[in-house]
Amino acid sequence: METMADGNIIRSLNRSELRRKVLFYLYSIYPYRSYLSEISRAIKSDPSNVKGCLEGLGIRYTKEESLVGLGLVTIEESKKGFRYFKINKDCIDDIKGIKTVFSQKKVLAVEIG
């Protein structure tokens, strides 16, 4: 898994509001898992974009910057072939910290001299 120190996770989440929405939705239902269409409905987004956030999809959503690629989300497959997405249990504390960082209001102070 990536570490917070290398910045790949923060950069990826900073670049995509949809990635943050997907991650924070899955975090909100942890330890439960969810499937693609359920996640799409919950965050009110198109399933193909959500799939891109989760697993990567071409240039816009690369596999390396996807939530699965970053190690934040895992895929579970049922015996019948259904795919479910779930927060990686090893990342709970990291995600809690990430959520705190992204939920804080950004204040920019500028000194004019």
Side-chain angles (χ1 to χ4, degrees):
M1 186 192 115
E2 301 288 336
T3 62
M4 291 293 289
D6 68 16
N8 287 340
I9 292 172
I10 298 297
R11 184 175 66 245
S12 175
L13 295 174
N14 202 34
R15 290 182 60 204
S16 172
E17 182 181 353
L18 191 56
R19 274 190 206 111
R20 291 191 305 269
K21 284 182 178 182
V22 170
L23 180 66
F24 298 155
Y25 168 72
L26 289 173
Y27 177 75
S28 74
I29 64 167
Y30 182 82
Y32 301 104
R33 61 189 187 175
S34 187
Y35 52 94
L36 184 62
S37 61
E38 185 178 61
I39 297 168
S40 298
R41 269 194 312 275
I43 66 167
K44 298 176 176 67
S45 185
D46 182 74
S48 64
N49 287 333
V50 172
K51 182 174 176 24
C53 290
L54 287 163
E55 299 183 76
L57 190 68
I59 296 169
R60 182 173 175 202
Y61 292 113
T62 64
K63 281 189 175 197
E64 296 79 21
E65 290 188 329
S66 71
L67 296 173
V68 171
L70 292 168
L72 297 171
V73 172
T74 60
I75 300 172
E76 296 178 359
E77 200 161 326
S78 73
K79 291 178 183 175
K80 294 184 178 182
F82 296 111
R83 294 167 59 93
Y84 297 92
F85 299 91
K86 183 178 182 178
I87 290 293
N88 181 344
K89 66 179 172 135
D90 298 332
C91 299
I92 292 296
D93 291 336
D94 289 338
I95 295 169
K96 184 177 181 180
I98 291 168
K99 187 165 174 49
T100 301
V101 167
F102 280 102
S103 64
Q104 293 174 351
K105 291 184 180 181
K106 305 214 177 3
V107 177
L108 180 63
V110 178
E111 183 178 323
I112 300 174

